[in-house]
Amino acid sequence: MATIFFLPFFLSLIFLPSTNAGYWPPSPGYYPSTKFRSMSFYQGFKNLWGPNHQNVDNNGINMWLDRNSGSGFKSVKPFRSGYFGASIKLQPGYTAGVITAFYLSNNEAHPGFHDEVDIEFLGTTFGKPYTLQTNVYIRGSGDGKIVGREMKFHLWFDPTKNFHHYAILWSPREIIFLVDDVPIRRYARKSVATFPLRPMWLYGSIWDASSWATEDGKYKVDYRYQPFYGKFTNFKASGCTAYSSRWCHPVSVSSYQSGGLSRQQRQAMNWVRSRYLVYDYCMDSKRDHSLTPECWR
């Protein structure tokens, strides 16, 4: 009788989903979000589009998408390196096709030939977890020739319950993506051809990406569930602007001022990757890896 009850329980432990709440990463040992000063929305940003789909208070902004429009904002200054973070809370329920994004780009300065570093939350269907997509573009556009460098993760928490802090560190030698101060991805500069070096602005947006956002476009935005909200607060944008002296030193997200990650940070990152990474472009056999030489160098 004991075996009859033990076996199903044992199997349930084996097949727990990777997004099961309660499996938290080990401490990274260093918390960069505490090292940079927060700013209000109007200290650092301005409306880019959809002003009637924004609600701004002193510290943050709520944006929404409905069948009429989405919304977006943009930093008032371009940067050439820095730490860029925001605390974000996502819409629960059915959000298929909806993208909530926080990213760096110079698309307006270099249309058709721009650089971009993305944190994107891909909308989902009932009962399925959000996917956080990180991406890096170098001198490309949406003209069919763009080469994305996507890595996708599930999260170890429900991003609709509370605000969590998401950040990008961009320096001349590396890009590091962080969630609640835990590094989840490091993209190193291995060549000038595969790394963004031109000044970029910081953006946030919410918009309809039904053609690809959820399971490669299988599920579309369903406006019966509108409006879809994205809430941003606790903004941080510290580093060298495009107007800074050439003596301005890039910031770091570790105790090493020269950059990189500590051993403890690397251990935390590897823990997340081993449990929550769901797509890595370098591991995709369908990709033409001659276009992504950083995968094999």
Short mmCIF file of all heavy atoms in Angstrom, two decimals, residues 39-60:
data_model
loop_
_atom_site.label_atom_id
_atom_site.label_comp_id
_atom_site.label_asym_id
_atom_site.label_seq_id
_atom_site.Cartn_x
_atom_site.Cartn_y
_atom_site.Cartn_z
N MET A 39 14.85 57.98 -10.31
CA MET A 39 14.39 59.28 -10.79
C MET A 39 12.92 59.19 -11.15
O MET A 39 12.38 58.10 -11.41
CB MET A 39 15.21 59.73 -12.00
CG MET A 39 15.08 58.83 -13.22
SD MET A 39 16.15 59.40 -14.56
CE MET A 39 15.84 58.15 -15.80
N SER A 40 12.28 60.32 -11.14
CA SER A 40 10.88 60.36 -11.54
C SER A 40 10.77 60.26 -13.05
O SER A 40 11.76 60.42 -13.78
CB SER A 40 10.22 61.66 -11.06
OG SER A 40 10.74 62.76 -11.79
N PHE A 41 9.57 60.00 -13.54
CA PHE A 41 9.38 59.86 -14.97
C PHE A 41 9.81 61.11 -15.72
O PHE A 41 10.57 61.03 -16.70
CB PHE A 41 7.91 59.55 -15.28
CG PHE A 41 7.63 59.41 -16.75
CD1 PHE A 41 7.91 58.22 -17.40
CD2 PHE A 41 7.13 60.46 -17.49
CE1 PHE A 41 7.69 58.08 -18.77
CE2 PHE A 41 6.89 60.34 -18.85
CZ PHE A 41 7.17 59.15 -19.49
N TYR A 42 9.37 62.29 -15.27
CA TYR A 42 9.64 63.50 -16.03
C TYR A 42 11.09 63.98 -15.90
O TYR A 42 11.53 64.82 -16.68
CB TYR A 42 8.69 64.61 -15.59
CG TYR A 42 7.29 64.43 -16.14
CD1 TYR A 42 6.19 64.38 -15.29
CD2 TYR A 42 7.06 64.29 -17.51
CE1 TYR A 42 4.90 64.20 -15.79
CE2 TYR A 42 5.79 64.11 -18.01
CZ TYR A 42 4.71 64.08 -17.15
OH TYR A 42 3.43 63.89 -17.65
N GLN A 43 11.84 63.44 -14.95
CA GLN A 43 13.26 63.75 -14.88
C GLN A 43 14.03 63.13 -16.04
O GLN A 43 15.07 63.66 -16.44
CB GLN A 43 13.85 63.24 -13.56
CG GLN A 43 13.55 64.09 -12.35
CD GLN A 43 14.18 63.50 -11.10
OE1 GLN A 43 13.89 62.38 -10.69
NE2 GLN A 43 15.06 64.26 -10.47
N GLY A 44 13.53 62.02 -16.54
CA GLY A 44 14.32 61.32 -17.53
C GLY A 44 13.65 61.02 -18.84
O GLY A 44 14.32 60.63 -19.81
N PHE A 45 12.30 61.20 -18.93
CA PHE A 45 11.57 60.70 -20.09
C PHE A 45 10.54 61.70 -20.61
O PHE A 45 10.19 62.66 -19.94
CB PHE A 45 10.86 59.38 -19.73
CG PHE A 45 11.79 58.30 -19.25
CD1 PHE A 45 12.01 58.10 -17.90
CD2 PHE A 45 12.45 57.50 -20.17
CE1 PHE A 45 12.88 57.11 -17.46
CE2 PHE A 45 13.32 56.51 -19.74
CZ PHE A 45 13.53 56.32 -18.38
N LYS A 46 10.05 61.39 -21.80
CA LYS A 46 8.96 62.14 -22.39
C LYS A 46 8.09 61.17 -23.18
O LYS A 46 8.53 60.08 -23.55
CB LYS A 46 9.49 63.24 -23.31
CG LYS A 46 10.33 62.72 -24.47
CD LYS A 46 10.90 63.87 -25.31
CE LYS A 46 11.75 63.34 -26.47
NZ LYS A 46 12.30 64.45 -27.28
N ASN A 47 6.87 61.59 -23.44
CA ASN A 47 5.98 60.76 -24.26
C ASN A 47 6.54 60.62 -25.66
O ASN A 47 7.08 61.55 -26.23
CB ASN A 47 4.58 61.40 -24.32
CG ASN A 47 3.71 60.74 -25.37
OD1 ASN A 47 3.54 61.27 -26.48
ND2 ASN A 47 3.18 59.57 -25.04
N LEU A 48 6.38 59.42 -26.22
CA LEU A 48 6.79 59.18 -27.60
C LEU A 48 5.57 59.02 -28.49
O LEU A 48 5.51 59.59 -29.58
CB LEU A 48 7.67 57.94 -27.68
CG LEU A 48 8.21 57.60 -29.07
CD1 LEU A 48 9.11 58.72 -29.60
CD2 LEU A 48 8.99 56.28 -29.03
N TRP A 49 4.58 58.24 -28.04
CA TRP A 49 3.35 58.06 -28.79
C TRP A 49 2.27 57.55 -27.84
O TRP A 49 2.54 57.08 -26.74
CB TRP A 49 3.54 57.10 -29.95
CG TRP A 49 4.02 55.73 -29.60
CD1 TRP A 49 5.25 55.36 -29.19
CD2 TRP A 49 3.25 54.52 -29.63
NE1 TRP A 49 5.32 54.01 -28.96
CE2 TRP A 49 4.11 53.47 -29.23
CE3 TRP A 49 1.93 54.22 -29.98
CZ2 TRP A 49 3.68 52.15 -29.15
CZ3 TRP A 49 1.51 52.89 -29.91
CH2 TRP A 49 2.38 51.88 -29.49
N GLY A 50 1.02 57.71 -28.26
CA GLY A 50 -0.10 57.27 -27.45
C GLY A 50 -0.27 58.04 -26.15
O GLY A 50 -0.47 57.44 -25.10
N PRO A 51 -0.22 59.39 -26.17
CA PRO A 51 -0.31 60.14 -24.92
C PRO A 51 -1.63 59.92 -24.18
O PRO A 51 -1.68 60.06 -22.95
CB PRO A 51 -0.15 61.60 -25.37
CG PRO A 51 -0.57 61.61 -26.81
CD PRO A 51 -0.12 60.29 -27.34
N ASN A 52 -2.69 59.60 -24.90
CA ASN A 52 -3.98 59.35 -24.25
C ASN A 52 -4.08 57.95 -23.65
O ASN A 52 -5.12 57.58 -23.09
CB ASN A 52 -5.12 59.57 -25.26
CG ASN A 52 -5.21 61.00 -25.71
OD1 ASN A 52 -4.93 61.93 -24.96
ND2 ASN A 52 -5.59 61.21 -26.97
N HIS A 53 -3.01 57.18 -23.80
CA HIS A 53 -2.96 55.84 -23.23
C HIS A 53 -1.85 55.75 -22.18
O HIS A 53 -1.22 54.71 -21.99
CB HIS A 53 -2.77 54.80 -24.33
CG HIS A 53 -3.98 54.60 -25.17
ND1 HIS A 53 -4.49 55.57 -26.00
CD2 HIS A 53 -4.82 53.54 -25.29
CE1 HIS A 53 -5.57 55.12 -26.61
NE2 HIS A 53 -5.80 53.89 -26.19
N GLN A 54 -1.63 56.87 -21.51
CA GLN A 54 -0.65 56.96 -20.44
C GLN A 54 -1.25 57.68 -19.25
O GLN A 54 -2.04 58.62 -19.40
CB GLN A 54 0.60 57.74 -20.88
CG GLN A 54 1.38 57.13 -22.00
CD GLN A 54 2.59 57.98 -22.36
OE1 GLN A 54 2.80 59.07 -21.81
NE2 GLN A 54 3.40 57.50 -23.30
N ASN A 55 -0.83 57.25 -18.07
CA ASN A 55 -1.18 57.94 -16.83
C ASN A 55 0.11 58.08 -16.04
O ASN A 55 0.64 57.08 -15.54
CB ASN A 55 -2.23 57.14 -16.04
CG ASN A 55 -2.62 57.82 -14.76
OD1 ASN A 55 -2.33 58.99 -14.54
ND2 ASN A 55 -3.26 57.08 -13.87
N VAL A 56 0.63 59.30 -15.94
CA VAL A 56 1.93 59.55 -15.32
C VAL A 56 1.74 60.15 -13.94
O VAL A 56 0.96 61.09 -13.76
CB VAL A 56 2.78 60.50 -16.19
CG1 VAL A 56 4.12 60.78 -15.53
CG2 VAL A 56 2.97 59.92 -17.58
N ASP A 57 2.44 59.58 -12.95
CA ASP A 57 2.51 60.25 -11.66
C ASP A 57 3.96 60.66 -11.45
O ASP A 57 4.81 60.54 -12.35
CB ASP A 57 1.99 59.36 -10.52
CG ASP A 57 2.77 58.07 -10.37
OD1 ASP A 57 3.97 58.05 -10.72
OD2 ASP A 57 2.18 57.08 -9.88
N ASN A 58 4.30 61.13 -10.27
CA ASN A 58 5.63 61.67 -10.04
C ASN A 58 6.73 60.63 -10.22
O ASN A 58 7.84 60.94 -10.64
CB ASN A 58 5.72 62.28 -8.65
CG ASN A 58 7.04 63.01 -8.42
OD1 ASN A 58 7.46 63.81 -9.24
ND2 ASN A 58 7.72 62.71 -7.32
N ASN A 59 6.43 59.38 -9.91
CA ASN A 59 7.46 58.37 -9.89
C ASN A 59 7.43 57.41 -11.07
O ASN A 59 8.44 56.78 -11.39
CB ASN A 59 7.37 57.56 -8.59
CG ASN A 59 7.64 58.40 -7.36
OD1 ASN A 59 8.59 59.16 -7.34
ND2 ASN A 59 6.79 58.27 -6.36
N GLY A 60 6.26 57.25 -11.68
CA GLY A 60 6.17 56.24 -12.72
C GLY A 60 5.10 56.52 -13.73
O GLY A 60 4.52 57.61 -13.79
#
